[in-house]
Amino acid sequence: MGKAFLIVRMKGTVNVPYWARTTMDLLHLDKRFRATIIPEKDNTKGMLDKIKHYVSWQEIDVSTTKELLEKKARTGGYKKLTAEDMTKLGFKNTDELAKSLSEGTAILSKLKPLKPWFALSPPKHGFKRNTKKMYGEGGILGSHKELLAQVRLMM
């Protein structure tokens, strides 16, 4: 293991088949522009391959994870993450939590006061690539090599 993926849902909820909807519900991606971090495993790679026409993903680094936690992490009542919440989770600071999430040792959905997703906004100045094609065809879907830069525009 040792790696984790940042997954962002790029398409909406209309006309999505039930098998794709249930897979995205298992990943906590119930709305457009929701993001989550999951560790790399064989079954998660299969899930990503199944819903590749609806989401975008890339391996995440510690600095982007820390930035996501500081700007977009929410607890119950949609409140920002505080130092008291960090001690409840068993981490000293956001650096330690970001490192464990990006290495795949901690799972976002198991950290209870935290929401298992990040709510992103649409990117400033729009998408630079086609939103209906895979990354290899000039689009944004599937395994996306420039997703972290795109997510920084969506925070």
Side-chain angles (χ1 to χ4, degrees), residues 105-149:
T105 55
I107 300 172
L108 196 59
S109 60
K110 303 272 190 221
L111 302 173
K112 262 311 155 199
L114 273 181
K115 301 264 184 204
W117 41 261
F118 304 104
L120 302 175
S121 56
K124 294 176 184 170
H125 308 296
F127 291 106
K128 302 297 182 219
R129 299 170 69 97
N130 193 334
T131 59
K132 297 181 181 182
K133 292 183 180 178
M134 300 299 288
Y135 182 76
E137 300 169 349
I140 60 167
L141 301 174
S143 181
H144 194 306
K145 306 287 187 259
E146 302 157 4
L147 181 66
L148 298 182

Side-chain angles (χ1 to χ4, degrees), residues 19-20 22-23 45-54 57:
W19 50 268
T22 55
T23 305
K45 284 185 178 181
M47 292 170 89
L48 291 176
D49 192 44
K50 192 175 183 181
I51 58 171
K52 65 184 174 188
H53 295 285
Y54 301 97
W57 70 88

Side-chain angles (χ1 to χ4, degrees), residues 47-128:
M47 292 170 89
L48 291 176
D49 192 44
K50 192 175 183 181
I51 58 171
K52 65 184 174 188
H53 295 285
Y54 301 97
V55 298
S56 209
W57 70 88
Q58 185 184 4
E59 189 176 318
I60 193 163
D61 58 349
V62 179
S63 62
T64 308
T65 308
K66 182 181 177 192
E67 194 174 348
L68 269 171
L69 287 170
E70 289 172 349
K71 291 184 178 180
K72 293 292 183 177
R74 298 289 186 256
T75 59
Y78 211 70
K79 296 177 181 161
K80 285 194 169 190
L81 187 64
T82 61
E84 295 136 15
D85 295 327
M86 295 301 294
T87 55
K88 286 180 188 174
L89 293 171
F91 295 99
K92 295 176 186 170
N93 53 18
T94 56
D95 294 327
E96 191 177 315
L97 178 59
K99 186 172 186 276
S100 64
L101 279 173
S102 64
E103 289 175 351
T105 55
I107 300 172
L108 196 59
S109 60
K110 303 272 190 221
L111 302 173
K112 262 311 155 199
L114 273 181
K115 301 264 184 204
W117 41 261
F118 304 104
L120 302 175
S121 56
K124 294 176 184 170
H125 308 296
F127 291 106
K128 302 297 182 219

